[in-house]
Amino acid sequence: MLVLLNRQAIVSFSIILLAIIVLLHQALPLWYSAILVLLLGYRWPLQRSGSKVNKLKRVNIIAALILLLLLISLKQSGVFHFMLQILLLSAVSRMVLIRQRHDSHQLLWVLYFLLACCFIFYQSILLSLLILALLLFTLHQHYQLYASKQLRLQWLQLGKALLLTFPIWISLFLLFPRLQPLWRIPTADSAITGLADSLDPGSIENLVQSDTLAFRAIFSGPLPARQQLYWRAKVYENFDGRSWTVNKRFETRQTVTPPINENSLVQRVDYQIITEVSNQRSVFALGVPLQLTNTVRPVAAYLAEARRPVSQRLSYQVSSDLSAIPEDHATEPQLNTRTTNANPKTRALAIELANKTQSTAELIGQIGELFRQQPYFYSLNPPRLGENSIDAFLFNTRSGFCSHYASATAVLLREAGVPARVVGGYQGGVWHDEQQYLEVRQREAHAWVEYFDSGAWQRFDPTAVIAPERVLAGLDAVLSAEEQDQLQANWRRFSAVNYINQQLLHLDYYWSVWVLGFDDSQQYNLWQQLKAISKLLAILSGIVVLMIGIWWYLKYQRQPEKFPAPVRLVRRYLGKLIQHKPAGQHFSQFINQLKIHNPYHAPLLDKIDSLYQRALFANDPAALLQLRKHLKANTKKLNRLNWPQ
């Protein structure tokens, strides 16, 4: 018999599909999401229209046109996103036509798969709980559709089943081998967040206006001084007169081996990074990364790079040397002395400063004095610069952000013949003492300079000269009230909302450390610990078994020679009862007392007494053998004998 879907089931399926469209918006073009929503709304007028054949033709034509558009945009979306788009289209098309209960079977399984795919795009605890709630809601609808109407959901039994399966689930999570993903999520050409491969005036200013979380850092030892918290992410070595770009040598992704010396051990710091999704390979590290987990590797200029684009929250361990950055190739200094024909005033200033100094250190000091003594200003909203941007900044506007000062300093050094490059990353962060982690947001994005001197790349941050509070206390310490309002979202102006948001971030941090951060290396460490514990338990068990064996041997096998064999047998099998026998009492008298308290076992006790007397006093070997067999055969009965307390 055909069963029609009720209105409640149709509304429930529509809500689930709308939620999936919202959750998978990263994989869906905006136009495609709008069409899917309109197609869901098209179900209601279509339901009242003509025959089923006409409905099917209309939906098939619409789906075919949508599929054609998806194929045209396949190159931009990627194969994995295209697969999700096709599945979602099939689910919505089925939803438009569905009328009977048996038609919902395929729709349900597609919904399960789509909800599972949502976990690929989201790792935060709140969104994970939302997806789990949608999954449970779908399961409930599945039950409502196919369970017998007379059978009510047994919540108590369901709770017991969940309690029974929970330890199994935990064991699988902790101990089951981590499998490599069967596919890689395609990424966009540019980053979702973070620094791009080009840096020009305005790049960092735009980035710091985002309050999005970039990464968290957990230190094994004490937190380094804030002046040491320069998180390197990008190195810009090509300059065209206005913009800095990453050199093509970074595209080869050649792994470099960092040198380890005595200074490395002195200035070594160990920490864990939990980075957010960026769709980039570039990740963050302090100084020179000496040791990295297998998901991350050191590359040119001793930067850290993920082995695949960070499309999910990534956790990795780092050991860094906070001293100067060594050169990774002999041509590196020469590469970073190239200049352009632009900015002639800056070139003249660089030559003038170089003629006044005898060393690179003195030249750095002169540049610092220039920024300190002249009326230069640190501003989040600097004036726009023309074609010769460095000249315009140094001699006209004199107002800029960190990228302006870093770019101008690097050009001055290059024009003076000193190898220099601009480094992009993050500086500082907010330390949460109770939770013991450092929170670094996009607003901590920063640019500084590395110059080559004494065989290594030394760090120089001109921002620390112009606005030292930026390094010592954070960005808010150097911005005006108007600029701070520009960075702060309207909803963040309420302290209660800020407090709740921060507590949710702390909860998400623990979720990242304990659940998402439990990777192959931690699982391997857990197995090693379990292996060591199992060895210890095996040794302890062996010792216990050995001690029990020795005790049993001493108690039952090595009886003193003063006791004859019949006495040893009786003491062995009546050990718990024989302790009630007074010293000097005859054995037969003791047996008579036992018979009084255990009348049902009187024949057994009489037999034992008779054999005992013959074996002990008549020295009868046959009686001794019969006594041993009789006691052994009736061990269980003897253990049940009672003695009044």
Side-chain angles (χ1 to χ4, degrees), residues 538-554:
I539 294 173
L540 292 176
S541 300
I543 294 173
V544 170
V545 170
L546 180 62
M547 293 177 65
I548 292 174
I550 294 173
W551 172 80
W552 181 86
Y553 177 76
L554 293 175

Side-chain angles (χ1 to χ4, degrees), residues 354-375:
N355 292 333
K356 294 180 181 179
T357 58
Q358 301 296 322
S359 65
T360 302
E362 291 183 11
L363 179 60
I364 292 293
Q366 286 292 321
I367 295 174
E369 286 299 316
L370 172 70
F371 289 140
R372 188 180 295 109
Q373 294 177 0
Q374 298 295 325

Side-chain angles (χ1 to χ4, degrees), residues 26 118-128 185 192-193 212-218 272-280 283-284 295-296 306 308-316 437 439 441 504-519:
Q26 297 180 27
C118 291
F119 286 107
I120 299 175
F121 293 90
Y122 299 101
Q123 288 82 46
S124 68
I125 186 170
L126 291 180
L127 286 174
S128 297
I185 300 176
I192 292 178
T193 58
T212 308
L213 181 66
F215 62 94
R216 298 181 178 99
I218 305 103
Q272 177 188 0
I273 296 290
I274 304 174
T275 179
E276 298 296 305
V277 175
S278 65
N279 279 350
Q280 298 190 77
V283 291
F284 319 101
T295 55
V296 181
R308 56 175 58 89
V310 183
S311 56
Q312 296 181 0
R313 191 175 288 177
L314 177 67
S315 174
Y316 57 94
Y437 74 89
E439 180 184 84
R441 296 183 172 274
L504 292 175
L505 286 174
H506 291 331
L507 181 63
D508 188 66
Y509 160 72
Y510 292 123
W511 168 262
S512 300
V513 172
W514 295 339
V515 180
L516 300 180
F518 190 78
D519 54 10

Side-chain angles (χ1 to χ4, degrees), residues 569-580:
L569 281 173
V570 168
R571 291 174 65 87
R572 177 179 176 183
Y573 286 96
L574 296 176
K576 293 182 180 179
L577 296 171
I578 205 74
Q579 64 183 352
H580 299 291

